C-alpha cells in the first residue's frame, strides 16, 4: 500500500508531506480500531529480540531517532509501527521556528534526505505538557536536547540545563545533541571541556541514562577524546552518528544542512566500526545513520551496537520498516546460529575491517 501512496506524498513539499503523516499519526492512528489494526500489521513480538540496556527494557533494537517527532505529539501513533523505543526532539529551552524554508530536500534515487531545519520546535514548556499526558509509556521514551540558536557559546551549558531539568521526570533517557550542522557553531561544542561540563551537570540531576550524539565528520582522534570525556563525566553511551556535511557523498547536494539515508551508510559504518573498536564494552553504543535494510542493521549489531535508530529509511520504505528490519535480523541470527540478540552484539567488535566506499 505504501508503494502506491508514496508517489502522492512525494509530490508534496517534504515538510507538507511530513505534516500530513503527522496528522495521521496524531489523529487517525490513535483511534482504537485503527490502532489495533496497525499494531497487528507492524508490531513484531519475539523474545529473541528483547534485552535490557542501561536498566531499560526493549522489546526490539529498532528505535526512531530524533527529528521525526520533534514536538512529542505523535508518540501513541508511532507506537503502532513496531519500534522498540522512540526519541522525541530535538527540543530547546525556548521555542524557535528554525531556519528559513525550503530546508528539507529529498534525493529519491539515493534514498537520502538533506535537512537544514535548525531545531524548529515548540519549546520545553509546551512539549513537557504533552509528555506528562503519556509518560510513563509502554516503550522507552528518550528526549533529545539541543541549544537555542540565540544563546552564546559561553551560556550553552546553562541553556542545555534549563531544558534538561524540566524533562527529567517525563523521559526514560536523554540525548545531548551537540552535532547538528544546522545551528551555527553548535559542532564547536564537541570538545573535551564542554562535554565534561555538560555531563557532570546532568549527573547532578539524575541517574537515568545519558547519551551524547556525535558527528560523523570529526577527525577520529578528536572524536575519541570527546567520547572518552563524556564517558568519564557520566555518559551512559554514544549515538553514532548524526547527519553528515560531506557533500561529496550525494550528487547535487545542497550547500547547507546535513545528509542522511543510504548516501552516508558507508561513512557511518566506518565511523561506528572505529568507535566500537575503542569503546565497545566500556559504554553503550547506539548506531544511527544510513541504516536502510536488515543487512546493514545486523552489521551494526555485530560491530557492537546494542540499539539502532532509523529515520530516513522510514520515509522511503514506509510504516513496515521497523518490522522488516526486525524480521530480517531474526533471519540473519538464525542463519548464523544465534538464539538471542545478546549473542550477536559485538561479535565483530575489534576485528580488522576493510573500509567501505560511499
Amino acid at each position: 500500500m505504501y508503494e502506491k501512496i508514496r508517489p502522492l506524498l512525494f509530490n508534496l513539499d517534504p515538510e507538507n508531506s511530513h505534516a500530513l503523516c503527522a496528522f495521521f499519526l496524531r489523529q487517525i492512528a490513535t483511534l482504537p480500531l485503527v490502532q489495533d489494526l496497525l499494531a497487528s500489521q507492524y508490531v513484531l513480538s519475539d523474545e529473541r529480540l528483547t534485552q535490557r540496556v542501561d536498566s531499560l527494557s526493549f522489546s526490539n533494537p529498532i528505535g526512531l531517532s530524533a527529528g521525526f517527532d520533534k514536538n512529542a505529539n505523535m508518540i501513541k501513533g508511532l507506537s503502532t509501527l513496531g519500534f522498540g523505543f522512540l526519541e522525541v526532539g530535538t527540543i530547546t529551552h525556548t521555542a524557535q521556528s528554525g531556519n528559513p524554508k525550503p530546508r528539507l530536500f529529498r534525493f529519491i534515487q539515493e534514498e537520502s534526505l538533506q535537512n537544514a531545519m535548525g531545531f524548529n520546535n515548540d519549546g520545553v514548556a509546551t512539549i513537557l505538557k504533552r509528555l506528562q499526558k503519556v509518560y510513563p509509556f509502554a516503550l522507552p521514551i528518550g528526549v533529545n536536547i539541543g541549544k537555542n540558536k540565540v544563546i552564546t557559546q559561553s551560556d550553552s551549558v546553562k541553556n542545555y540545563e534549563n531544558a534538561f531539568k524540566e524533562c527529567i521526570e517525563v523521559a526514560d533517557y536523554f540525548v545531548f545533541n551537540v552535532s547538528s550542522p544546522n545551528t551555527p557553531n553548535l559542532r564547536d561544542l564537541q570538545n573535551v571541556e564542554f562535554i565534561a561540563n555538560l555531563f557532570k551537570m546532568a549527573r547532578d540531576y539524575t541517574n537515568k541514562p545519558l547519551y551524547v550524539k556525535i558527528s560523523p565528520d570529526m577527525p577520529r582522534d578528536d572524536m575519541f577524546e570527546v567520547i572518552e570525556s563524556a564517558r568519564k563525566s557520566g555518559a551512559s553511551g554514544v549515538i553514532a552518528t548524526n547527519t553528515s556535511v560531506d557533500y561529496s557523498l550525494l550528487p547535487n547536494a545542497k550547500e547547507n544542512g546535513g545528509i542522511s539515508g543510504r548516501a552516508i551508510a558507508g561513512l557511518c559504518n566506518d565511523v561506528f566500526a572505529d568507535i566500537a573498536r575503542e569503546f565497545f564494552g566500556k559504554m553503550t553504543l547506539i548506531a544511527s545513520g544510513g541504516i536502510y535494510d536488515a543487512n546493514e542493521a545486523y552489521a551494526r549489531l555485530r560491530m557492537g551496537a546494542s540499539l539502532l535508530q532509523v529515520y530516513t529509511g522510514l520515509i522511503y520504505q514506509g510504516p513496515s520498516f521497523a518490522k522488516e528490519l526486525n524480521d530480517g535480523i531474526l533471519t540473519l541470527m538464525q542463519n548464523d546460529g544465534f538464539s538471542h540478540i545478546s549473542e550477536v552484539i559485538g561479535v565483530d567488535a575489534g576485528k580488522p575491517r576493510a573500509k567501505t566506499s560511499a
Side-chain angles (χ1 to χ4, degrees), residues 11 22 56 77 112 129 142 163 172 175 187 192 199 212 232-233 247 270 278 302 304 308-309 311 319 321 341 344:
N11 278 333
L56 300 177
S112 299
K129 294 176 182 177
D172 297 298
V175 179
R187 288 188 168 189
V192 169
F199 279 91
V212 61
K232 288 182 176 179
S233 303
Y247 300 137
D270 291 340
E278 293 290 325
R302 290 183 63 106
L308 310 167
Q309 288 188 323
Y311 176 171
F321 187 47
I341 192 171
V344 179

Side-chain angles (χ1 to χ4, degrees), residues 251-271:
N252 302 311
K254 308 296 181 181
E255 288 304 315
N256 65 316
I259 299 168
S260 63
R262 190 188 285 256
I264 65 168
L267 171 64
C268 292
N269 247 314
D270 291 340
V271 170

Side-chain angles (χ1 to χ4, degrees), residues 99-100 102-103 105 114-116 181-182 245 247 253-258:
N99 295 324
R103 56 193 181 181
F105 308 93
Q114 188 169 357
N115 92 81
N182 301 321
V245 294
Y247 300 137
K254 308 296 181 181
E255 288 304 315
N256 65 316

Side-chain angles (χ1 to χ4, degrees), residues 88-96 119 121-129 131 143-148 151 155-171 173-177 198 201-202 205-206 210:
V88 302
T90 296
I91 71 169
T92 53
H93 180 236
T94 58
Q96 56 184 34
F119 291 167
N121 74 106
D122 293 340
V124 69
T126 298
I127 293 169
L128 174 63
K129 294 176 182 177
L131 289 169
V143 172
N144 185 299
I145 301 171
K147 182 181 84 73
N148 279 111
I151 297 297
D155 291 330
S156 295
V157 170
K158 190 64 177 178
N159 187 239
Y160 278 97
E161 180 181 6
N162 288 337
F164 169 67
K165 66 184 181 181
E166 296 296 322
C167 300
I168 289 173
E169 302 303 324
V170 292
Y173 72 87
F174 301 90
V175 179
F176 291 114
N177 188 344
L198 184 64
M201 173 276 296
Y205 285 98
T206 186
L210 304 172

Side-chain angles (χ1 to χ4, degrees), residues 22-132:
F23 174 82
F24 176 84
L25 288 165
R26 287 196 314 269
Q27 304 295 335
I28 309 300
T30 54
L31 297 173
L33 291 178
V34 179
Q35 194 170 22
D36 290 345
L37 177 63
L38 291 173
S40 69
Q41 294 294 312
Y42 301 130
V43 175
L44 185 154
S45 297
D46 194 302
E47 285 295 320
R48 292 173 293 173
L49 294 176
T50 62
Q51 57 179 324
R52 286 185 66 80
V53 179
D54 294 330
S55 77
L56 300 177
S57 295
F58 296 85
S59 59
N60 70 70
I62 308 300
L64 182 64
S65 70
F68 191 92
D69 189 6
K70 289 178 176 291
N71 293 308
N73 52 20
M74 300 180 237
I75 290 173
K76 289 185 178 179
L78 287 167
S79 70
T80 68
L81 302 187
F83 293 105
F85 62 107
L86 302 170
E87 188 172 308
V88 302
T90 296
I91 71 169
T92 53
H93 180 236
T94 58
Q96 56 184 34
S97 58
N99 295 324
K101 299 179 181 180
R103 56 193 181 181
L104 181 62
F105 308 93
R106 301 186 194 96
F107 294 82
I108 297 174
Q109 185 174 348
E110 293 83 8
E111 292 187 32
S112 299
L113 297 174
Q114 188 169 357
N115 92 81
M117 303 297 285
F119 291 167
N120 54 305
N121 74 106
D122 293 340
V124 69
T126 298
I127 293 169
L128 174 63
K129 294 176 182 177
R130 295 183 186 134
L131 289 169
Q132 287 171 333

